[in-house]
Amino acid sequence: MKALKTLGYVLALPALLILLWWVSTLGAVNFFVPTPAALVGKFGEVWFGPRFVTDVLPSVGRLLIGVVAAIVIGVVGGVLIGSVRWLRALLEPVLEFFRAIPPPVLVPVLILLMGITDSMKIAVIVSGCVWPVLLNTIEGVRAVDGVLSDSAHTYGIDGWARVRYLVLPSASPQILAGVRQSLSLGLILMVISEMFASSSGLGFTIVQFQRSFAIPEMWSGIVVLGLLGVAMSFIFQWAERNILRWYHGQKEVENAA
């Protein structure tokens, strides 16, 4: 019963929006806004075939590689910078400078340096996704409870053991908050990098459809991006619930008290 209720909450609003869309397009002929039936037909025709392999899978692969690389760099760098006070003070102005640069403006620079390659597209994704993870990790490490830190030092828990059993668990809620932000940024940057310079991928295909006035096909590509974002969100929520099970349990106990 609980699963059905949850499913109802998930599907109710999308179903209502599709119904309103269908009603508003009854008897209307608009070249730029297809009807739901036309969009569904084009969606199956365009994406259930070779384009799934030539466009969707390469985009998803670049997105996953870029986001995972950004998470690794952000967590490792954040733990190091957050743990060393003088290093944090030294790097803070430089980090703020690079964080303020919008990642899309780096696309022409990366094209010059790396050429029109998959590595360039992944670098664009990493350049934007790393900052939420890095900065949230730094703040999470800085917020480690002082009493717990002193206790760990007293019992001789130092080095990697301290990071594994104290720092990372304490900072994990903020780290995952940064990861959540990086996922949406990664999807945006994936599309932007493919729109600038590419011969395949979702961003490239959507632009090609727009330039050739294949409007229903263009909208179907946008729907694919939306579905990809929804899938990423559900996967992240599942992973977060499992990783932070202890944290949510602690919050429930505190709220009950």
PDB file of all heavy atoms in Angstrom, residues 223-240:
ATOM      1  N   VAL A 223      12.884  15.553 -24.149  1.00  0.00           N
ATOM      2  CA  VAL A 223      12.245  14.585 -23.250  1.00  0.00           C
ATOM      3  C   VAL A 223      13.260  13.543 -22.780  1.00  0.00           C
ATOM      4  O   VAL A 223      13.263  13.145 -21.606  1.00  0.00           O
ATOM      5  CB  VAL A 223      11.052  13.903 -23.951  1.00  0.00           C
ATOM      6  CG1 VAL A 223      10.530  12.739 -23.109  1.00  0.00           C
ATOM      7  CG2 VAL A 223       9.940  14.906 -24.198  1.00  0.00           C
ATOM      8  N   VAL A 224      14.135  13.096 -23.680  1.00  0.00           N
ATOM      9  CA  VAL A 224      15.172  12.139 -23.294  1.00  0.00           C
ATOM     10  C   VAL A 224      16.051  12.724 -22.188  1.00  0.00           C
ATOM     11  O   VAL A 224      16.385  12.042 -21.206  1.00  0.00           O
ATOM     12  CB  VAL A 224      16.036  11.745 -24.514  1.00  0.00           C
ATOM     13  CG1 VAL A 224      17.246  10.927 -24.083  1.00  0.00           C
ATOM     14  CG2 VAL A 224      15.216  10.948 -25.502  1.00  0.00           C
ATOM     15  N   LEU A 225      16.436  13.991 -22.330  1.00  0.00           N
ATOM     16  CA  LEU A 225      17.242  14.641 -21.298  1.00  0.00           C
ATOM     17  C   LEU A 225      16.494  14.706 -19.964  1.00  0.00           C
ATOM     18  O   LEU A 225      17.076  14.472 -18.898  1.00  0.00           O
ATOM     19  CB  LEU A 225      17.633  16.057 -21.743  1.00  0.00           C
ATOM     20  CG  LEU A 225      18.653  16.154 -22.875  1.00  0.00           C
ATOM     21  CD1 LEU A 225      18.820  17.609 -23.311  1.00  0.00           C
ATOM     22  CD2 LEU A 225      19.993  15.590 -22.433  1.00  0.00           C
ATOM     23  N   GLY A 226      15.207  15.021 -20.028  1.00  0.00           N
ATOM     24  CA  GLY A 226      14.415  15.061 -18.806  1.00  0.00           C
ATOM     25  C   GLY A 226      14.324  13.704 -18.138  1.00  0.00           C
ATOM     26  O   GLY A 226      14.462  13.589 -16.919  1.00  0.00           O
ATOM     27  N   LEU A 227      14.098  12.658 -18.929  1.00  0.00           N
ATOM     28  CA  LEU A 227      14.029  11.306 -18.368  1.00  0.00           C
ATOM     29  C   LEU A 227      15.370  10.883 -17.786  1.00  0.00           C
ATOM     30  O   LEU A 227      15.425  10.206 -16.752  1.00  0.00           O
ATOM     31  CB  LEU A 227      13.589  10.317 -19.456  1.00  0.00           C
ATOM     32  CG  LEU A 227      12.148  10.483 -19.962  1.00  0.00           C
ATOM     33  CD1 LEU A 227      11.890   9.520 -21.113  1.00  0.00           C
ATOM     34  CD2 LEU A 227      11.144  10.248 -18.834  1.00  0.00           C
ATOM     35  N   LEU A 228      16.446  11.289 -18.441  1.00  0.00           N
ATOM     36  CA  LEU A 228      17.783  10.980 -17.923  1.00  0.00           C
ATOM     37  C   LEU A 228      17.999  11.664 -16.571  1.00  0.00           C
ATOM     38  O   LEU A 228      18.542  11.061 -15.629  1.00  0.00           O
ATOM     39  CB  LEU A 228      18.837  11.426 -18.928  1.00  0.00           C
ATOM     40  CG  LEU A 228      20.302  11.148 -18.577  1.00  0.00           C
ATOM     41  CD1 LEU A 228      20.532   9.659 -18.357  1.00  0.00           C
ATOM     42  CD2 LEU A 228      21.215  11.662 -19.694  1.00  0.00           C
ATOM     43  N   GLY A 229      17.567  12.913 -16.462  1.00  0.00           N
ATOM     44  CA  GLY A 229      17.675  13.625 -15.187  1.00  0.00           C
ATOM     45  C   GLY A 229      16.854  12.973 -14.087  1.00  0.00           C
ATOM     46  O   GLY A 229      17.308  12.858 -12.939  1.00  0.00           O
ATOM     47  N   VAL A 230      15.644  12.530 -14.428  1.00  0.00           N
ATOM     48  CA  VAL A 230      14.795  11.858 -13.436  1.00  0.00           C
ATOM     49  C   VAL A 230      15.446  10.558 -12.973  1.00  0.00           C
ATOM     50  O   VAL A 230      15.466  10.245 -11.777  1.00  0.00           O
ATOM     51  CB  VAL A 230      13.402  11.586 -14.034  1.00  0.00           C
ATOM     52  CG1 VAL A 230      12.591  10.677 -13.111  1.00  0.00           C
ATOM     53  CG2 VAL A 230      12.653  12.890 -14.255  1.00  0.00           C
ATOM     54  N   ALA A 231      15.977   9.781 -13.922  1.00  0.00           N
ATOM     55  CA  ALA A 231      16.641   8.518 -13.564  1.00  0.00           C
ATOM     56  C   ALA A 231      17.833   8.766 -12.650  1.00  0.00           C
ATOM     57  O   ALA A 231      18.026   8.047 -11.646  1.00  0.00           O
ATOM     58  CB  ALA A 231      17.087   7.794 -14.836  1.00  0.00           C
ATOM     59  N   MET A 232      18.627   9.783 -12.951  1.00  0.00           N
ATOM     60  CA  MET A 232      19.771  10.117 -12.105  1.00  0.00           C
ATOM     61  C   MET A 232      19.317  10.505 -10.704  1.00  0.00           C
ATOM     62  O   MET A 232      19.942  10.128  -9.703  1.00  0.00           O
ATOM     63  CB  MET A 232      20.580  11.244 -12.741  1.00  0.00           C
ATOM     64  CG  MET A 232      21.320  10.857 -14.000  1.00  0.00           C
ATOM     65  SD  MET A 232      21.992  12.290 -14.885  1.00  0.00           S
ATOM     66  CE  MET A 232      22.981  13.067 -13.617  1.00  0.00           C
ATOM     67  N   SER A 233      18.226  11.252 -10.625  1.00  0.00           N
ATOM     68  CA  SER A 233      17.721  11.691  -9.327  1.00  0.00           C
ATOM     69  C   SER A 233      17.283  10.505  -8.467  1.00  0.00           C
ATOM     70  O   SER A 233      17.614  10.417  -7.284  1.00  0.00           O
ATOM     71  CB  SER A 233      16.553  12.659  -9.523  1.00  0.00           C
ATOM     72  OG  SER A 233      15.973  13.023  -8.284  1.00  0.00           O
ATOM     73  N   PHE A 234      16.555   9.558  -9.071  1.00  0.00           N
ATOM     74  CA  PHE A 234      16.088   8.391  -8.314  1.00  0.00           C
ATOM     75  C   PHE A 234      17.252   7.510  -7.878  1.00  0.00           C
ATOM     76  O   PHE A 234      17.261   6.985  -6.758  1.00  0.00           O
ATOM     77  CB  PHE A 234      15.098   7.585  -9.149  1.00  0.00           C
ATOM     78  CG  PHE A 234      13.718   8.176  -9.190  1.00  0.00           C
ATOM     79  CD1 PHE A 234      13.060   8.363 -10.393  1.00  0.00           C
ATOM     80  CD2 PHE A 234      13.077   8.557  -8.018  1.00  0.00           C
ATOM     81  CE1 PHE A 234      11.786   8.919 -10.426  1.00  0.00           C
ATOM     82  CE2 PHE A 234      11.812   9.102  -8.039  1.00  0.00           C
ATOM     83  CZ  PHE A 234      11.158   9.283  -9.252  1.00  0.00           C
ATOM     84  N   ILE A 235      18.231   7.331  -8.756  1.00  0.00           N
ATOM     85  CA  ILE A 235      19.399   6.524  -8.404  1.00  0.00           C
ATOM     86  C   ILE A 235      20.161   7.177  -7.253  1.00  0.00           C
ATOM     87  O   ILE A 235      20.607   6.508  -6.312  1.00  0.00           O
ATOM     88  CB  ILE A 235      20.314   6.331  -9.635  1.00  0.00           C
ATOM     89  CG1 ILE A 235      19.611   5.446 -10.673  1.00  0.00           C
ATOM     90  CG2 ILE A 235      21.641   5.692  -9.223  1.00  0.00           C
ATOM     91  CD1 ILE A 235      20.335   5.371 -11.994  1.00  0.00           C
ATOM     92  N   PHE A 236      20.304   8.507  -7.332  1.00  0.00           N
ATOM     93  CA  PHE A 236      21.015   9.210  -6.252  1.00  0.00           C
ATOM     94  C   PHE A 236      20.264   9.095  -4.936  1.00  0.00           C
ATOM     95  O   PHE A 236      20.881   8.881  -3.879  1.00  0.00           O
ATOM     96  CB  PHE A 236      21.211  10.678  -6.625  1.00  0.00           C
ATOM     97  CG  PHE A 236      21.826  11.488  -5.515  1.00  0.00           C
ATOM     98  CD1 PHE A 236      23.191  11.463  -5.305  1.00  0.00           C
ATOM     99  CD2 PHE A 236      21.039  12.238  -4.662  1.00  0.00           C
ATOM    100  CE1 PHE A 236      23.771  12.183  -4.266  1.00  0.00           C
ATOM    101  CE2 PHE A 236      21.590  12.962  -3.626  1.00  0.00           C
ATOM    102  CZ  PHE A 236      22.969  12.934  -3.431  1.00  0.00           C
ATOM    103  N   GLN A 237      18.941   9.255  -4.966  1.00  0.00           N
ATOM    104  CA  GLN A 237      18.162   9.153  -3.734  1.00  0.00           C
ATOM    105  C   GLN A 237      18.308   7.770  -3.106  1.00  0.00           C
ATOM    106  O   GLN A 237      18.429   7.643  -1.879  1.00  0.00           O
ATOM    107  CB  GLN A 237      16.689   9.448  -4.024  1.00  0.00           C
ATOM    108  CG  GLN A 237      16.404  10.905  -4.344  1.00  0.00           C
ATOM    109  CD  GLN A 237      14.954  11.134  -4.718  1.00  0.00           C
ATOM    110  OE1 GLN A 237      14.068  10.415  -4.269  1.00  0.00           O
ATOM    111  NE2 GLN A 237      14.695  12.122  -5.552  1.00  0.00           N
ATOM    112  N   TRP A 238      18.307   6.731  -3.939  1.00  0.00           N
ATOM    113  CA  TRP A 238      18.487   5.374  -3.419  1.00  0.00           C
ATOM    114  C   TRP A 238      19.871   5.225  -2.775  1.00  0.00           C
ATOM    115  O   TRP A 238      19.997   4.671  -1.686  1.00  0.00           O
ATOM    116  CB  TRP A 238      18.313   4.371  -4.560  1.00  0.00           C
ATOM    117  CG  TRP A 238      18.655   2.969  -4.170  1.00  0.00           C
ATOM    118  CD1 TRP A 238      17.849   2.072  -3.520  1.00  0.00           C
ATOM    119  CD2 TRP A 238      19.910   2.310  -4.374  1.00  0.00           C
ATOM    120  NE1 TRP A 238      18.516   0.884  -3.305  1.00  0.00           N
ATOM    121  CE2 TRP A 238      19.786   1.001  -3.830  1.00  0.00           C
ATOM    122  CE3 TRP A 238      21.108   2.681  -4.977  1.00  0.00           C
ATOM    123  CZ2 TRP A 238      20.832   0.084  -3.874  1.00  0.00           C
ATOM    124  CZ3 TRP A 238      22.150   1.771  -5.019  1.00  0.00           C
ATOM    125  CH2 TRP A 238      22.010   0.483  -4.468  1.00  0.00           C
ATOM    126  N   ALA A 239      20.899   5.722  -3.472  1.00  0.00           N
ATOM    127  CA  ALA A 239      22.263   5.626  -2.942  1.00  0.00           C
ATOM    128  C   ALA A 239      22.408   6.438  -1.659  1.00  0.00           C
ATOM    129  O   ALA A 239      23.035   5.983  -0.686  1.00  0.00           O
ATOM    130  CB  ALA A 239      23.266   6.103  -3.991  1.00  0.00           C
ATOM    131  N   GLU A 240      21.819   7.624  -1.631  1.00  0.00           N
ATOM    132  CA  GLU A 240      21.924   8.470  -0.434  1.00  0.00           C
ATOM    133  C   GLU A 240      21.254   7.821   0.769  1.00  0.00           C
ATOM    134  O   GLU A 240      21.792   7.849   1.882  1.00  0.00           O
ATOM    135  CB  GLU A 240      21.291   9.832  -0.715  1.00  0.00           C
ATOM    136  CG  GLU A 240      21.432  10.822   0.433  1.00  0.00           C
ATOM    137  CD  GLU A 240      20.677  12.096   0.194  1.00  0.00           C
ATOM    138  OE1 GLU A 240      19.558  12.027  -0.371  1.00  0.00           O
ATOM    139  OE2 GLU A 240      21.178  13.174   0.572  1.00  0.00           O
TER     140      GLU A 240
END
